[in-house]
Structure formats: C-alpha cells, structure tokens
Amino acid sequence: MNTQTLDAKVADFLAQKRIAVAGVSRNNSHHPAGNLIYRRLKTTGHEVVPVNPSMDRFEGERCYPDLHSIPGGVDGVVIITRPDTTEQIVRDCSVAGVRRVWMHQSLARGSSVSPKAVEYCRQHDISVIAGACPMMYGPGVDFGHACMRWIMKLKGDLPQ
C-alpha cells in the first residue's frame, strides 16, 4: 500500500520526463483542461505525448489512440476524460507499464476521478493522484490555479 503524501506524489509525478495527456481536444472552447495541461507541461520541460483516439494530430504532434501505441512508453499519464473512460485508461496503464496516474479534477466543471479506477491503480501498484490539477503545482503556477489549490485545500477537496 502506498502511503506517500500528496506533495510527495505530486513531486514524483512532475519529476518524470515523459508524460502523456489523455484527453486533449480539438474543441478548446468546450474542453480546454487537457489542452492547457499539455501546454503547461511542455513549457516546464516535459516531453508531452497527446492521447485521443479521435485525433491523428494535436498541435502539430502525432496524437496516439491509447497508451500502448506510444513508442517507448511514458512515465506517467494525466487523465482528463469521463470517469468511465478513466477506468479503461488505467487498465491500459498496467499493460503499457505506466506506474503514475493523475486523474484531473477541476474546481467547478467535473472530474475524471473514478473510484473503480482509483482502486484498480492501488491493486496494481500504480501511484495515483485522484483529483486536483497538475497546473496547481510546480514551477510557473498562475494566480488562478494557486487560488484553486488554496480553496480546495481549505474545503478539504485535495486528494489524499
């Protein structure tokens, strides 16, 4: 059983070099979170791999339909999808050897967190951050995300 603190899990996740973002979208106005996280990780020096089965390219990069299609694999995946899709993605993590998962949760507009997917990660030795947003952490946090982190912490809504 993994007993790391949230801060330790976040530091470990963000220390990884190659991260997939499952849930990038061609519709930036209705589904911006995945796209924003993808761009932020790129600006912080990560090699970021877009994942969306409905797209061939994203911002000039090859977009992969799933995790096991990515040549060389990835060190972690940020999931910005519906919870039922999250469940399939974490099963794909096991097959693809991905040991770190971050299930995105926004302050106001939904969550990728699935209790079944969280339990699957725990049973398969996959470090999971079940909630919050990578944009709330690391270098270059913008004022809005810093406020979101503070509010979520105050309300007790940050993942354990």
Side-chain angles (χ1 to χ4, degrees):
M1 184 170 154
N2 192 339
T3 58
Q4 280 186 308
T5 66
L6 175 61
D7 287 341
K9 285 182 182 181
V10 167
D12 176 61
F13 190 94
L14 294 176
Q16 303 310 305
K17 182 67 180 158
R18 197 161 196 238
I19 299 174
V21 176
V24 294
S25 174
R26 64 174 62 88
N27 190 342
N28 200 42
S29 61
H30 287 91
H31 306 287
N35 300 358
L36 291 169
I37 292 167
Y38 175 91
R39 291 179 195 121
R40 167 73 182 292
L41 289 170
K42 275 200 161 271
T43 64
T44 56
H46 295 89
E47 181 182 344
V48 190
V49 181
V51 177
N52 183 322
S54 301
M55 296 169 55
D56 293 326
R57 301 202 70 74
F58 177 75
E59 297 195 354
E61 301 289 329
R62 178 158 181 219
C63 191
Y64 293 90
D66 51 50
L67 295 173
H68 31 74
S69 298
I70 301 170
V74 293
D75 304 310
V77 60
V78 179
I79 304 173
I80 307 99
T81 63
R82 293 182 321 275
D84 59 321
T85 304
T86 298
E87 293 170 19
Q88 179 59 52
I89 293 169
V90 298
R91 286 190 293 275
D92 290 348
C93 286
S94 247
V95 174
V98 178
R99 309 301 336 145
R100 293 165 193 84
V101 168
W102 193 321
M103 298 175 196
H104 177 264
Q105 178 181 354
S106 71
L107 190 57
R109 293 188 64 190
S111 174
S112 296
V113 178
S114 156
K116 287 181 186 176
V118 171
E119 185 57 29
Y120 183 92
C121 288
R122 291 184 177 141
Q123 290 175 356
H124 290 84
D125 197 31
I126 298 170
S127 175
V128 60
I129 300 171
C133 175
M135 292 183 63
M136 294 178 182
Y137 298 89
V141 174
D142 62 86
F143 180 73
H145 281 92
C147 289
M148 282 187 237
R149 181 176 172 189
W150 182 80
I151 290 167
M152 289 179 86
K153 184 174 184 176
L154 189 65
K155 291 174 58 183
D157 289 341
L158 288 176
Q160 300 297 316

